[in-house]
Amino acid sequence: MPLTNAAAVAVFSLLALGLLLGLLTLARVFGGRHPSRNKDIPFESGLGASTAVHPATPVRFYLLAVSFLVFELEGAFLYAWAVAFHSLGRLAIWGGIVFLLVLALGWLYEWAMGGLRWR
């Protein structure tokens, strides 16, 4: 007797939930607990509770992070273009080539301006 889509999803969800609960139970029973002073302190950004002021994050970090996001987003556009490559016409292919050239020029400009240097 074939299952409907909703029944298949429900069975899969129940199996996943059962597996999760089983693994958590096994970890609790066989894993044990070994508390210590270092394990019980709050942890945030690698700084202990005795540190009064967070160190300033350099601006270069933010510039590099924004550059990464920009180039990562362009990579997502290129992925969609590559998936549909065989069904595209000549105009779309040339548009992709122009996009790659603009991407390469932007990367070269950022490299020349020192945006990729961490020092």
Side-chain angles (χ1 to χ4, degrees), residues 39-58:
K39 288 182 182 178
D40 291 335
I41 62 172
F43 179 81
E44 182 179 336
S45 304
L47 301 174
S50 63
T51 307
V53 178
H54 291 280
T57 305

Side-chain angles (χ1 to χ4, degrees), residues 3-49:
L3 294 175
T4 64
N5 288 340
V9 168
V11 168
F12 181 75
S13 297
L14 288 174
L15 285 173
L17 184 64
L19 179 65
L20 173 69
L21 292 175
L23 289 174
L24 286 173
T25 303
L26 284 173
R28 173 68 78 181
V29 170
F30 294 115
R33 178 150 166 83
H34 307 288
S36 70
R37 188 173 63 98
N38 286 334
K39 288 182 182 178
D40 291 335
I41 62 172
F43 179 81
E44 182 179 336
S45 304
L47 301 174

Side-chain angles (χ1 to χ4, degrees), residues 35-119:
S36 70
R37 188 173 63 98
N38 286 334
K39 288 182 182 178
D40 291 335
I41 62 172
F43 179 81
E44 182 179 336
S45 304
L47 301 174
S50 63
T51 307
V53 178
H54 291 280
T57 305
V59 173
R60 284 210 170 269
F61 171 78
Y62 293 109
L63 292 174
L64 192 64
V66 167
S67 298
F68 172 76
L69 289 175
V70 167
F71 285 106
E72 188 70 20
L73 182 64
E74 290 171 355
F77 286 135
L78 284 176
Y79 179 76
W81 180 72
V83 167
F85 183 78
H86 290 292
S87 63
L88 297 175
R90 287 182 185 232
L91 184 63
I93 291 174
W94 282 107
I97 291 171
V98 168
F99 181 76
L100 282 172
L101 287 173
V102 169
L103 179 66
L105 287 174
W107 179 72
L108 288 172
Y109 177 77
E110 185 174 12
W111 187 18
M113 296 318 257
L116 301 176
R117 237 178 288 141
W118 189 249
R119 292 182 264 123

